[in-house]
Amino acid sequence: MHADDQVGEGVPAELGVFLREAVDGRPVKIAPSVCEGCGGRVFFVLVNASGAERECSGCDSRAFIADSEEYWNEESWEDDEPGAAGCPCGSEEFEAAVAFSLGADGSVRWVTVGLRCIKDGFCGVYADWKIDYGPTDHLLTMV
């Protein structure tokens, strides 16, 4: 872990460690995905290289992760249409967390979406993308 890392309450331990190892060494804020509708923490997730959308397995509520909604259209997809995230075991239900890599000024520079399979515990990075604009504080609450 980096001395300036911040891991939010509710991030599954294995997923937090996995995300820390997957980022580029900069300080990160890691936050869990929690459904605003029901408080659920298990999701079906659609991903592509520049975004992710999650659907709560408890109440079917949908939400975009970080700034994904801005790029969630056919013009942006080109040859990268979103698809369902899947675990090698065949399951499509995950706990999710997001690692926000921070620049020297504290702004978000990279978004990394990590998923942990609820069936077998497999962890993986399913999407990550660069943030090249500011301000970025709003992204930290969009997990």
Side-chain angles (χ1 to χ4, degrees):
M1 290 285 191
H2 191 281
D4 296 327
D5 287 349
Q6 298 174 29
V7 179
E9 186 176 324
V11 174
E14 302 90 354
L15 189 52
V17 169
F18 180 85
L19 281 169
R20 175 65 251 169
E21 293 174 359
V23 298
D24 61 5
R26 285 191 237 174
V28 293
K29 287 187 180 183
I30 301 175
S33 284
V34 180
C35 177
E36 287 186 19
C38 72
R41 293 177 181 257
V42 177
F43 303 96
F44 299 99
V45 184
L46 291 174
V47 294
N48 69 6
S50 58
E53 180 184 26
R54 61 179 173 77
E55 178 182 340
C56 179
S57 67
C59 72
D60 299 328
S61 178
R62 299 177 86 88
F64 289 99
I65 294 176
D67 62 353
S68 298
E69 186 172 17
E70 295 176 38
Y71 306 100
W72 210 254
N73 57 62
E74 291 183 27
E75 294 93 37
S76 298
W77 294 338
E78 296 179 19
D79 293 328
D80 190 26
E81 190 170 329
C87 177
C89 79
S91 178
E92 294 183 350
E93 291 185 280
F94 298 93
E95 292 175 298
V98 179
F100 297 99
S101 295
L102 306 176
D105 63 355
S107 63
V108 175
R109 290 290 149 238
W110 205 265
V111 175
T112 303
V113 178
L115 303 178
R116 180 182 178 277
C117 177
I118 62 164
K119 185 175 180 181
D120 70 359
F122 174 84
C123 292
V125 169
Y126 282 77
D128 63 331
W129 60 95
K130 185 174 176 45
I131 303 297
D132 58 3
Y133 59 85
T136 61
D137 290 345
H138 68 288
L139 298 176
L140 298 170
T141 62
M142 301 173 75
V143 294

